[in-house]
Every structure is written in structure tokens, then in C-alpha cells.
Amino acid sequence: MERKEFLRTLGAGAAFAVVFPCVQGCTKGPDLQTEPIPTGVDFTIDLSGPDGDALANNGDFIVRDFVVIARNLSGVFVAASRVCSHQQTPEVSFVASQGGIFQCSTHGSQFAQDGTPINNITTNPLKIFQTELNGDLLRIFE
Ligand code: FES
């Protein structure tokens, strides 16, 4: 079934909710904790210690200084802002079960590993950081 046809079968109200999911649910409320998107990121973690244990398996991730550091499903280290590009809540995680994407739990924004939005919650790309592995030392930087 084509997208247009699918939306037509839902009816106008439901189609609007599918196409514009943030109209009702994404207003910034007083309870929404926000943070600035990290800048000037440049730090190193030692994979010979507990961080290495936490990142031992493909799909694992840790959070450090508002940065999500993940071992993707190919075993490559990737890093992204913990602070979402939608409304700046620090709720982005790495989700292995969906093929290895970044996802924010606040309103459900999903991002490819290069930061490209992959659903229609936001059009703002997620900030991505570079990684460099030297022995057991993993550098995360801009
Ligand atoms: S703040 Fe809305 S999806 Fe992340």
C-alpha cells in the first residue's frame, strides 16, 4: 500500500497525527529538563578498565559528559550528543535492536549513525563526534 493510500484509509485526523506527531506532544513544558548541546568535546576513555567492560559487546553504549559512546553492530566506536537536536533533552541512547541507531526517549526522535534524522519528529541532525582508537585509548572529539 502506498503512503498516500495508507494515510487516506486512516482518515484526516489520524493522518495528521502520523505526519505531524509533534503538534500536540512536543510542546516544551515546564517539566522538560534541557541541556546545551555539547561543544568543545575532546576526551579519552581507557578501554582497559570498566569503560571497556561496558563497551565489550557490539551494541553496548555508555554516556560521558553528555556524549553517547557506542560500539555499533560492526564493532566500530561511534559517538553522538546525549542532548537531542529536537528540544535539547539529554535522553539520547544507542538502540542496537533497531539496527544500531540513536534514539531520544523524550518524543521518539531517531537518528542514523551519521546524525541524519530518520523519522519525522525533527529535521535537525543529531550532533556526531569523531572517534579514534589507539590501543586501549578511545578519543572522542569534534
Ligand atoms: S527532545 Fe523531542 S525527541 Fe528528543
Side-chain angles (χ1 to χ4, degrees):
M1 178 181 294
E2 294 291 322
R3 179 184 165 103
K4 278 171 80 174
E5 185 181 345
F6 171 72
L7 294 174
R8 195 172 23 249
T9 63
L10 291 176
F16 187 78
V18 168
V19 175
F20 302 103
C22 278
V23 170
Q24 294 176 357
C26 295
T27 56
K28 269 190 183 170
D31 300 337
L32 207 57
Q33 180 205 340
T34 62
E35 296 287 341
I37 292 173
T39 59
V41 168
D42 192 350
F43 62 87
T44 301
I45 61 173
D46 185 353
L47 298 177
S48 67
D51 288 337
D53 295 340
L55 290 167
N57 301 303
N58 294 353
D60 288 345
F61 76 92
I62 61 173
V63 176
R64 192 69 28 87
D65 299 335
F66 292 107
V67 176
V68 177
I69 305 152
R71 182 189 287 266
N72 73 12
L73 301 185
S74 302
V76 174
F77 291 104
V78 294
S81 171
R82 171 79 161 159
V83 181
C84 183
S85 59
H86 177 227
Q87 291 187 354
Q88 286 72 54
T89 64
E91 301 298 335
V92 172
S93 301
F94 187 76
V95 181
S97 64
Q98 296 195 35
I101 61 169
F102 292 103
Q103 179 172 293
C104 177
S105 61
T106 304
H107 309 111
S109 286
Q110 297 179 326
F111 306 91
Q113 290 178 29
D114 67 358
T116 303
I118 54 177
N119 61 11
N120 58 2
I121 307 294
T122 182
T123 57
N124 302 328
L126 183 66
K127 188 169 186 178
I128 299 297
F129 302 100
Q130 299 182 66
T131 63
E132 183 179 83
L133 185 62
N134 290 310
D136 285 332
L137 298 179
L138 178 64
R139 180 181 175 216
I140 296 93
F141 60 104
E142 294 188 44

